[in-house]
């Protein structure tokens, strides 16, 4: 229906739609499917020209998931899943994007997605109880439900280096990689950043480039992913138990079933047994390592044992003794920054055409016409790759001008850190939902499990509202305050707040230092979600 909407710009035609979803990654796609099942009219706005979210943008060489393929897939439909066959233990970006397109086509999702369209504002109108959503393409939509599926790591960030625009060579960010790919052969390449994206891309870029200089500010813990092709039998066998496995994943702390957390404390284990446990889990590859004993993420002493083990393994992977110690992380406990999984990362520094510049000695002074200047030296490059990360968890959300009751700005409300109830909603913003928002397990879990948990909960809530003829739902201030305090308290019982991580907002100058994800685990969190829904959305206010 096209009509002049309340609050619309003078000459704008507004459409009225039951629900708007922002983002067409895993979260937006599944949310669209669930709301359509409820019979709602839905419009998804997506900045890219295709579905995929994270996997649409992050096409850098070597991009690969760090959760195993058989676990990193939807669990809501046996039929959908049976039609898909993963080829590797950890799927590479192109395969995940193909999978997402397969699901989108199978469920005929694309017809409700407006691509290449960025939402610029969402404003709540108290008089009619509708959100007015505007886009950069001039759309103006009135909607009852506004659902942010904007992703936790989708606002790519290049640091504000002096002279950035002076550089005359090619410039890339891992989180916005050209779709046609980049040919680095015969080129001198500089990579800035050694988080997951840097660590995955560096070996692949090194294999192609004539020369590679890696600029490292913080050495990270990394362990071999142990990637390999999946056998046909493994793939077929996984289909037999798929839905059951996905349900089971929700009952675990991390939404992952390929390993279990050992609850025994380090001091309760004999030293040999502890080392054996670490060894087995290191060899297994992936995040199993962090579940080796119960207090690994809780005390410095216990963590130190795993950190020392990891450093010894890392040390043994590099022959070039000039760089070995520089590649080892000593300034943070293991696991408090996202653990990196790699394929031949450390070994790459044994290649004669690969150099490491340790920014702990001298930070980057500026970018010049010809390259990167640091410690008074200019490192010339034909291309600079910024693997410098994201304005995580809040960046994409707050890039939209979101205003709730009385025109209150979400940006202002969150100026000292995000405030949500359950990571799902914020007081003063009725019918606005965040999928995997700050205050929920999100990035500390298998994202797909957390996404499905939230989408299912939101769909149940929307059903309750529409069937009950209830106009709105909104977190109460009290419930929100209690939840924020609870999330902070849980985090303070762990080692997480001790690192300058993006979990803490520490990678963005001026961003408040608050630990954003919920550390209590997907399983405990899920029980809370169920209890809230069963108590007719306790902690939320339902408005007639
Ligand atoms: P990141 O972990 O935030 O790493 C950014 C890197 O850039 C860090 O080494 C950082 O150093 C460095 N950096 C930032 N600003 C800098 C500056 N001004 N000067 C010098 N160095 C600077 O970002 P990311 O690697 O893109 O990864 C983000 C997250 O995305 C990961 O933690 C993970 O959750 C997810 N991810 C997952 C996968 C996967 O599934 N395999 C792959 C890629 C990313 P500091 O550490 O000192 O800040």
């Amino acid at each position: 229906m096209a009509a002049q909407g309340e609050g619309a710009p003078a000459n704008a035609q507004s459409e009225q739609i039951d629900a708007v979803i922002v983002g067409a990654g895993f979260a937006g796609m599944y949310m669209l499917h669930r709301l359509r099942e409820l019979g709602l009219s839905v419009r998804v706005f997506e900045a890219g020209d295709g579905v995929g979210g994270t996997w649409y943008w992050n096409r850098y060489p070597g991009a690969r998931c760090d959760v195993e393929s058989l676990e990193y897939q939807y669990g809501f439909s046996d039929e959908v899943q049976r039609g898909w066959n993963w080829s590797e233990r950890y799927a590479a970006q192109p395969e995940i994007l193909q999978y997402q397109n397969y699901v989108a086509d199978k469920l005929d999702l694309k017809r409700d997605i407006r691509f290449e369209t960025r939402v610029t504002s969402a404003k709540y109108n108290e008089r009619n109880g509708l959100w007015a959503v505007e886009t950069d393409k001039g759309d103006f939509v009135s909607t009852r439900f506004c659902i942010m599926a904007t992703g936790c790591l989708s606002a790519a960030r290049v640091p504000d280096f002096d002279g950035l625009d002076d550089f005359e060579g090619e410039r890339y960010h891992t989180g916005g990689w050209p779709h046609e790919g980049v040919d680095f052969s015969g080129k001198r390449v500089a990579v800035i950043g050694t988080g997951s994206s840097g660590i995955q891309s560096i070996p692949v870029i090194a294999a192609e480039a004539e020369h590679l200089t890696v600029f490292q500010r913080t050495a990270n813990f990394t362990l071999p992913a142990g990637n390999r092709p999946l056998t046909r039998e493994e793939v077929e066998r996984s289909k037999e138990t798929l839905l059951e496995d996905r349900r089971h994943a929700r009952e675990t702390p991390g939404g992952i079933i390929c390993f279990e957390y050992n609850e025994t404390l380090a001091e309760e284990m004999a030293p040999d047994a502890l080392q054996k446990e670490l060894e087995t889990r290191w060899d297994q590859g992936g995040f199993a390592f962090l579940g080796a004993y119960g207090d690994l993420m809780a005390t410095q002493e216990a963590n130190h044992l795993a950190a020392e083990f990891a450093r010894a393994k890392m040390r043994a992977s590099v022959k070039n003794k000039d760089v070995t110690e520089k590649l080892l992380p000593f300034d943070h406990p293991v696991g408090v920054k996202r653990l990196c999984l790699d394929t031949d990362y450390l070994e790459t520094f044994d290649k004669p055409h690969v150099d490491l510049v340790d920014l702990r000695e001298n930070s980057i002074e500026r970018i010049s016409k010809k390259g990167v200047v640091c410690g008074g030296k200019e490192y010339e490059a034909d291309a600079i790759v910024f693997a410098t990360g994201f304005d995580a968890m809040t960046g994409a959300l707050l890039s939209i001008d979101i205003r709730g009751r009385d025109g209150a700005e979400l940006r202002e409300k969150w100026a000292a850190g995000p405030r949500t109830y359950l990571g799902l909603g914020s007081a003063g913003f009725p019918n606005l939902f965040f999928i995997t928002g700050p205050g929920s397990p999100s990035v500390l879990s298998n994202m797909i499990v957390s996404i499905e948990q939230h989408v299912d909960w939101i769909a149940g809530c929307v059903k309750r509202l529409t069937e009950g003829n209830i106009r709105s739902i909104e977190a109460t201030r009290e419930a929100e305050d209690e939840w924020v305090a609870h999330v902070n308290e849980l985090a303070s019982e762990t080692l997480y707040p001790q690192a300058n991580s993006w979990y803490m907002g520490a990678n963005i100058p001026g961003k408040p230092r608050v630990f954003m994800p919920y550390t209590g685990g997907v399983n405990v969190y899920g029980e809370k979600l169920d209890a809230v829904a069963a108590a007719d959305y306790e902690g939320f206010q339902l408005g007639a």
Side-chain angles (χ1 to χ4, degrees), residues 66 194-197 199-200 220-225 287 337-342:
D66 57 9
T194 52
S196 304
S197 305
I199 282 177
Q200 285 189 335
N220 260 312
F221 285 98
T222 181
L223 80 168
F287 296 104
K337 287 176 93 123
R338 174 82 164 202
L339 192 64
C340 300
L341 304 193
D342 73 89

Side-chain angles (χ1 to χ4, degrees), residues 131-455:
W131 283 88
V133 176
E134 282 184 81
T135 75
D136 63 353
K137 292 287 159 63
D139 301 271
F140 185 89
V141 176
S142 290
T143 185
R144 188 165 164 211
F145 301 108
C146 191
I147 302 169
M148 298 296 173
T150 41
C152 296
L153 292 157
S154 40
R157 179 183 170 268
V158 172
D160 193 13
F161 292 119
D162 279 349
L164 199 55
D165 294 330
D166 297 343
F167 184 60
E168 289 175 346
E170 303 157 38
R171 212 170 104 173
Y172 306 101
H173 189 286
T174 49
W177 205 258
H179 291 192
E180 62 281 11
V182 180
D183 183 3
F184 288 120
S185 41
K187 292 188 177 150
R188 297 163 304 169
V189 183
V191 175
I192 302 176
T194 52
S196 304
S197 305
I199 282 177
Q200 285 189 335
S201 59
I202 284 163
V204 186
I205 296 174
E208 201 172 87
E210 182 186 294
H211 190 270
L212 174 63
T213 312
V214 175
F215 294 84
Q216 171 192 270
R217 186 166 70 178
T218 306
N220 260 312
F221 285 98
T222 181
L223 80 168
N227 189 36
R228 60 171 176 77
L230 288 171
T231 64
R232 199 188 163 88
E233 292 70 42
E234 280 174 299
V235 175
E236 289 307 320
R237 212 180 319 124
S238 76
K239 290 183 187 176
E240 296 312 312
T241 53
L242 187 117
L243 296 193
E244 199 185 313
D245 287 347
R246 302 294 75 229
R247 263 194 301 276
H248 180 187
R250 288 187 185 202
E251 290 160 11
T252 69
I256 289 176
I257 57 170
C258 65
F259 70 88
E260 287 191 1
Y261 289 87
N262 177 9
E263 291 186 3
T264 314
L265 303 182
E267 64 182 17
E268 295 166 351
M269 296 168 78
D272 283 1
L274 186 137
Q275 290 299 314
K276 191 161 172 252
E277 188 74 30
L278 287 169
E279 189 81 46
T280 308
R281 286 170 182 260
W282 184 273
D283 290 345
Q284 188 179 340
F287 296 104
F289 183 71
L290 297 179
Y293 43 87
D295 47 353
L296 196 154
M297 295 298 290
T299 73
Q300 286 282 4
E301 300 70 35
N303 186 281
H304 183 70
L305 300 170
E308 277 291 281
F309 180 94
R311 281 189 285 265
K313 286 282 184 194
M314 290 172 68
R315 195 176 273 120
S317 302
V318 196
K319 293 194 191 74
N320 177 356
K321 295 303 163 208
D322 293 341
V323 294
T324 312
E325 292 305 308
K326 292 180 181 167
L327 286 165
L328 301 182
F330 286 101
D331 59 355
H332 60 276
V334 61
V336 297
K337 287 176 93 123
R338 174 82 164 202
L339 192 64
C340 300
L341 304 193
D342 73 89
T343 302
D344 298 335
Y345 171 65
L346 295 164
E347 293 81 347
T348 300
F349 292 91
D350 284 330
K351 295 185 191 293
H353 70 299
V354 177
D355 291 329
L356 180 73
V357 176
D358 188 353
L359 300 177
R360 285 170 294 192
E361 291 162 10
N362 297 292
S363 58
I364 292 174
E365 283 159 36
R366 63 190 165 86
I367 305 294
S368 65
K369 278 185 186 180
K370 291 187 178 164
V372 181
V373 180
C374 162
K377 185 173 169 190
E378 185 175 51
Y379 296 85
E380 290 192 8
D382 303 306
I384 302 179
V385 173
F386 292 92
T388 44
F390 301 86
D391 183 353
M393 311 216 47
T394 55
L397 268 174
L398 298 184
S399 71
I400 302 169
D401 181 9
I402 301 175
R403 297 181 191 222
R405 287 192 194 282
D406 304 321
E409 290 182 45
L410 192 66
R411 283 177 194 149
E412 211 164 283
K413 182 177 174 191
W414 288 10
R419 299 193 71 75
T420 71
Y421 178 40
L422 301 169
L424 275 163
S426 199
F429 296 81
N431 292 356
L432 176 73
F433 298 95
F434 313 119
I435 302 181
T436 64
S440 72
S442 65
V443 291
L444 296 183
S445 68
N446 176 351
M447 280 302 288
I448 303 202
V449 170
S450 284
I451 283 169
E452 289 190 325
Q453 196 177 41
H454 268 189
V455 169

